[in-house]
Amino acid sequence: MRSRRLVISAAVIAAGVGIMPGGTAQAAGPSTDGAHGVTSPKDLLKSAANAFTFSSPADRSVTRNLPAAGNKTAVAPKAPGAAAGADLTVGLSGTAGSARMIDLKSEITSTLGTPLTLVIDWGDGTSSSEVATGSGTKASQHLYAEVGSYTVNVTVYGPDGANGPSATNEMPFITPGSEFTPHSPTRLLDTRDGTGAAQAAQVPAWGETRVKVAGNSGIPADVAAVVLNVTVTNTRTAGHVRAYADGTERPTTSNVNYAAGDSVPNLVIVPVGKNGYVNLYNSGEQGVDLIADVTGYFTRTSANGYTPMDPTRFVDTREGLGTSRGMVPGRTQFGVQVTGTRGVPAGARAVALNVTVTNPRGAGHLTVFPSGQSAPNTSNVNFTGGQTIANSVIVPVGPDGRIIVRNGGWDPADVIVDVVGHYSPDGRSAYIPVRPVRDLDTRNPAQWPSGPLKPYRYIYSTFGEENTTATAMVLNTTVTNTGGAGHLTVAPDPNALWQYENKTYTPPVAPNSSTLNWTTGKTVPNLVQASLGANGIVDFFNRSGSNIDLVIDIFGVYDGH
């Protein structure tokens, strides 16, 4: 089954919430404008797992023929390569079933009687025993408690058990899931001054630059994926930037969209190439400057798993939530207690945020960093005077459970912080990057015949229907062809798919949070770590009085299994 997309009129949307200035939600009766089929998370995970297939053929079996009762002469074990002529061999193959699961196949060849016994040492201190009925394939499955590298050892015993012939084979296995380690915000690339580049020079039109990740600024050599805040600046025409692992095919998706004169940041979670580099491609007709700041990375070793949350507002300076009421003066900062409150556990090592600046009186930038250290030379949100703009942020938490938000501009601005998830040693969800795929584009009538997303309506997406172990999706949402100012809200849907199918659903209420903000005519992207909630369905609310086109690209899945 393929997952479906429907657009529904939002009958119940609270008026006056979020950061859209003015406007009141309009009540309307539910309506279905169309359906859309896309690749499901189950298919994406299966595709990603193809890269995590391991094997050890039967000719690597080591066979051992123990002496029969009363025979004091032991028969020496047959070395690998000699096993093909033995009475018993076992070949192994394994693929990833989920973030930490192995689907093992043991291919047995035997001229002995039955039953045969398989003893599987999973390499994590646990083992299991199974019975086979002779030659053939025996399927087994195991869920590891942690991501990592393991050696699976399988021994097949004949009918006499440990007193008779046996064959042993072993195979390495690496889980596809990876866990997060926060990193103090650090600049890895700035083409304006040559940081991390061969020289200070713009990335040319239809050109790219590489970012060294592995082994850079304390990032380990075995890094699987990296969290970067990528900023494009000094732009002269419209275009977009694509981030991808060096040595892989360039995707057709986008990460950062820009117009002439823009300075636009966006968070990316991107796999790292085998050589330790990430590529940034400029899909524009003029050169641009690119900046990349790291705030964390993923490795296939036990670290911090992810726990998604319903978007929760922690800070709104307009009303004094989480800090003092009133605009944040230029060149000042404030602290936010994030752990031990409002669903974020005391042991969280990092938090996933959506940070919005609104009502700024001049151009500037926001920097978010852990408490207990000086403000780094990095930025998370860049803005111009009067602009409302949001950006996703993943930031380490300080020793006291706090983060710091600094207004790096000279003029005051209002700041809003929404928490969407957290990373901790107890977090169960590991990250699996997938080949970037365009999931939805309302501009494409072949994919979405209903046209633009209408005012105060939402699209629901059944991302998790076929993969109940998935907990969150890593998406890039882009809004374009905007007829007026507004914002997009992304949140899990409280309805189950069957409720939509038999029309007994209750139109969901959009939470008091925003994912991205736009003004008339602007194209705006933002990374979203979208919780799948209890039903595996995600809502995308158009919280404006004008039509918009919505583009959704998939970059990864958090899997709890």
Side-chain angles (χ1 to χ4, degrees):
M1 180 186 296
R2 295 169 70 83
S3 56
R4 300 172 57 202
R5 304 289 181 271
L6 296 177
V7 58
I8 305 296
S9 171
V12 184
I13 298 181
V17 297
I19 61 175
M20 181 182 66
T24 301
Q26 303 297 315
S31 64
T32 299
D33 290 350
H36 176 57
V38 296
T39 303
S40 70
K42 183 178 181 180
D43 294 333
L44 292 172
L45 287 171
K46 184 182 295 184
S47 176
N50 288 339
F52 293 85
T53 298
F54 303 85
S55 64
S56 182
D59 61 9
R60 295 183 183 177
S61 298
V62 175
T63 60
R64 182 181 296 273
N65 296 298
L66 299 179
N71 185 350
K72 298 182 180 181
T73 304
V75 180
K78 295 186 178 181
D87 294 328
L88 187 63
T89 65
V90 58
L92 305 179
S93 63
T95 58
S98 62
R100 298 188 302 274
M101 180 175 285
I102 178 174
D103 290 320
L104 175 68
K105 291 183 178 179
S106 302
E107 188 69 37
I108 302 168
T109 300
S110 173
T111 58
L112 306 177
T114 59
L116 306 176
T117 303
L118 279 77
V119 176
I120 305 172
D121 181 343
W122 296 105
D124 61 351
T126 67
S127 61
S128 61
S129 180
E130 301 184 23
V131 175
T133 57
S135 296
T137 301
K138 186 69 176 179
S140 310
Q141 198 173 67
H142 181 67
L143 179 65
Y144 290 100
E146 294 290 349
V147 300
S149 300
Y150 300 93
T151 298
V152 179
N153 183 289
V154 177
T155 299
V156 182
Y157 295 97
D160 295 328
N163 296 317
S166 67
T168 300
N169 202 345
E170 66 179 26
M171 174 191 73
F173 179 77
I174 303 174
T175 63
S178 54
E179 293 191 345
F180 181 74
T181 299
H183 191 288
S184 295
T186 305
R187 185 144 291 173
L188 299 185
L189 174 74
D190 191 337
T191 62
R192 300 171 302 178
D193 59 17
T195 299
Q199 59 181 348
Q202 287 197 325
V203 180
W206 319 114
E208 66 185 22
T209 187
R210 297 197 307 168
V211 182
K212 179 174 174 57
V213 176
N216 193 1
S217 297
I219 302 172
D222 62 347
V223 59
V226 64
V227 179
L228 299 174
N229 197 66
V230 176
T231 303
V232 57
T233 190
N234 297 325
T235 59
R236 289 170 284 174
T237 60
H240 65 269
V241 176
R242 307 177 200 174
Y244 63 102
D246 191 42
T248 64
E249 183 181 355
R250 184 184 303 141
T252 58
T253 51
S254 64
N255 296 94
V256 189
N257 297 70
Y258 61 85
D262 277 350
S263 289
V264 183
N266 199 17
L267 196 72
V268 302
I269 302 177
V270 58
V272 178
K274 293 181 179 179
N275 61 359
Y277 284 83
V278 166
N279 291 341
L280 300 177
Y281 174 74
N282 172 27
S283 181
E285 296 180 352
Q286 296 287 337
V288 299
D289 279 309
L290 293 177
I291 303 163
D293 302 322
V294 62
T295 62
Y297 55 86
F298 293 85
T299 56
R300 293 183 182 93
T301 53
S302 178
N304 298 283
Y306 184 63
T307 302
M309 295 171 52
D310 288 354
T312 303
R313 183 144 294 176
F314 269 57
V315 173
D316 190 336
T317 62
R318 300 170 303 175
E319 59 185 59
L321 175 64
T323 188
S324 301
R325 183 175 181 178
M327 287 186 168
V328 183
R331 315 296 290 179
T332 67
Q333 62 194 40
F334 64 90
V336 183
Q337 182 69 41
V338 292
T339 65
T341 181
R342 308 191 70 186
V344 180
R349 305 292 174 81
V351 285
L353 314 171
N354 206 65
V355 179
T356 305
V357 61
T358 190
N359 305 320
R361 293 182 180 173
H365 66 273
L366 297 182
T367 299
V368 186
F369 58 99
S371 63
Q373 67 176 55
S374 300
N377 181 33
T378 59
S379 63
N380 296 98
V381 185
N382 297 69
F383 53 86
T384 58
Q387 185 181 26
T388 295
I389 188 170
N391 195 29
S392 289
V393 176
I394 298 176
V395 61
V397 176
D400 57 359
R402 292 164 63 86
I403 60 172
I404 307 297
V405 181
R406 178 174 174 79
N407 177 7
W410 293 101
D411 298 296
D414 278 312
V415 175
I416 301 158
V417 178
D418 299 321
V419 177
V420 300
H422 52 83
Y423 298 89
S424 71
D426 295 331
R428 289 298 299 161
S429 295
Y431 181 63
I432 304 177
V434 301
R435 174 73 183 161
V437 59
R438 179 140 293 176
D439 181 65
L440 174 67
D441 188 341
T442 61
R443 301 169 300 179
N444 183 354
Q447 187 185 50
W448 181 255
S450 299
L453 180 56
K454 297 177 178 61
Y456 303 106
R457 296 196 178 193
Y458 69 98
I459 290 173
Y460 76 80
S461 177
T462 59
F463 283 118
E465 179 194 0
E466 296 178 282
N467 184 47
T468 56
T469 63
T471 60
M473 302 292 295
V474 175
L475 312 171
N476 204 68
T477 54
T478 303
V479 170
T480 189
N481 297 326
T482 54
H487 64 275
L488 184 79
T489 295
V490 180
D493 192 306
N495 298 286
L497 181 59
W498 63 265
Q499 292 174 287
Y500 278 108
E501 292 177 335
N502 66 17
K503 299 183 180 180
T504 60
Y505 65 90
T506 300
V509 178
N512 183 29
S513 64
S514 63
T515 300
L516 62 83
N517 301 70
W518 66 84
T519 55
T520 304
K522 281 290 188 178
T523 296
V524 182
N526 201 8
L527 181 95
V528 184
Q529 301 210 115
S531 170
L532 295 178
N535 299 305
I537 301 177
V538 179
D539 296 326
F540 300 82
F541 296 87
N542 173 13
R543 306 194 69 190
S544 78
S546 302
N547 289 348
I548 62 169
D549 276 311
L550 176 63
V551 180
I552 302 172
D553 296 325
I554 300 176
F555 289 91
V557 181
Y558 284 101
D559 187 65
H561 204 243

